[in-house]
Structures are given as C-alpha cells and as structure tokens.
Amino acid sequence: MSERLQPGDTAPAFTLPDADGKQVSLADHKGRKVIVYFYPAALTPGCTKQACDFTDNLDLLAGHGYDVIGISPDKPEKLAKFREKEDLKVTLLGDPDKTVLENYGAFGEKKLYGKTVTGVIRSTVILDEDGKVERALYNVKATGHVAKIIKDLGL
C-alpha cells in the first residue's frame, strides 16, 4: 500500500506522456499552483463526468493560478481518444506502470461494490507554487468533486 501524501509534503516529481505522447513534467508547472487528479480509466462514465467538470471549470481555476493535470494508467492513444470524444481541455497524462499513482498514494486497496480490490484510488492533490502539498483528498466521488474543490478553495 502506498503512503498517502499529507499537507506540507513535497510533491513527488514526475514526467509522463500526455495524450499526444509528449513528455510533461511537474517541474514544467513550477511557480503555478497545480491540481493533480488521479482517475481509474479514460472513457468510463465517472471519469468522463470528472474530466468534463474540470474542463468546464478550467477558466475559473486557471484564472486563480491553478493548472489541472489528470493522471490515469491509460496509454496516450486512449487519452487522445478520450480528449477528442469529450472535447477535454485539461492536461491528461498516462502512467501505465502506475509509478506516479503509487508515489502519490493513489493506487492500492479500495472497496468496489463491497469487495476489496487493488486499483486506482480516485484522488486529488492540490499543490502550491513551490510544489508542496496544500491538500490531499483520497477516495473522492467523481460527481460534484470539482464544485467541492472550488468551494473549499474559496474561488
């Protein structure tokens, strides 16, 4: 089981491919606040709802200095399909070997329909301009989560 991040922790660095296969690093966002959210799979109902919510609120979040990055175990080809189909504007990164998911505490045991399974734990980590964890939210719901973040951040 991977360790969950706590406020004040330095966010683990990462470089992952985006939907176009281009390498994107957390370091590329230095000096900006970043919302990194982890979701189980592109093109599934809950993950689509969450990605669309982030896209719908991207201007508001960006206006307050937040970049949004979604990370799943999907390969770039599937992320590209997801982006095109849903007209997504958030940066989608693929972590097929799940290293970043594990480093952020977003992969491990979870309950699914009453059974314990190992998989992606829907999570959101909010980082400050220096790459420190401001908030780490685990086992979040896909629906209504973005609205809750906006409310909690007072945006």
Side-chain angles (χ1 to χ4, degrees):
M1 181 79 176
S2 40
E3 283 293 309
R4 293 186 169 187
L5 297 177
Q6 301 297 324
D9 288 351
T10 297
F14 61 78
T15 300
L16 293 170
D18 69 5
D20 300 314
K22 188 174 120 286
Q23 295 295 312
V24 175
S25 297
L26 181 58
D28 300 341
H29 298 270
K30 188 138 182 66
R32 293 198 41 91
K33 296 180 264 191
V34 185
I35 296 171
V36 185
Y37 79 96
F38 299 91
Y39 62 99
L43 301 166
T44 57
C47 299
T48 298
K49 173 83 178 106
Q50 190 177 22
C52 289
D53 281 354
F54 271 119
T55 292
D56 293 346
N57 289 287
L58 198 57
D59 288 345
L60 171 73
L61 293 165
H64 284 89
Y66 288 93
D67 293 339
V68 179
I69 299 172
I71 298 178
S72 71
D74 298 307
K75 291 186 167 33
E77 304 77 39
K78 188 173 179 190
L79 296 175
K81 240 183 243 163
F82 188 33
R83 181 184 63 198
E84 307 315 316
K85 182 175 187 271
E86 302 299 338
D87 196 25
L88 300 173
K89 303 286 182 249
V90 295
T91 300
L92 299 174
L93 303 181
D95 183 21
D97 67 7
K98 303 174 187 74
T99 305
V100 176
L101 286 156
E102 287 177 359
N103 288 344
Y104 276 76
F107 189 84
E109 282 190 357
K110 63 178 185 176
K111 289 266 189 249
L112 190 64
Y113 306 114
K115 289 192 171 79
T116 300
V117 298
T118 300
V120 176
I121 299 163
R122 191 182 302 276
S123 311
T124 301
V125 179
I126 301 172
L127 309 175
D128 68 14
E129 298 88 344
D130 299 319
K132 295 261 189 243
V133 175
E134 272 186 10
R135 295 164 192 244
L137 311 162
Y138 293 94
N139 295 309
V140 301
K141 299 274 179 253
T143 306
H145 179 58
V146 177
K148 183 175 177 357
I149 288 173
I150 289 167
K151 182 174 176 270
D152 289 352
L153 293 174
L155 308 181

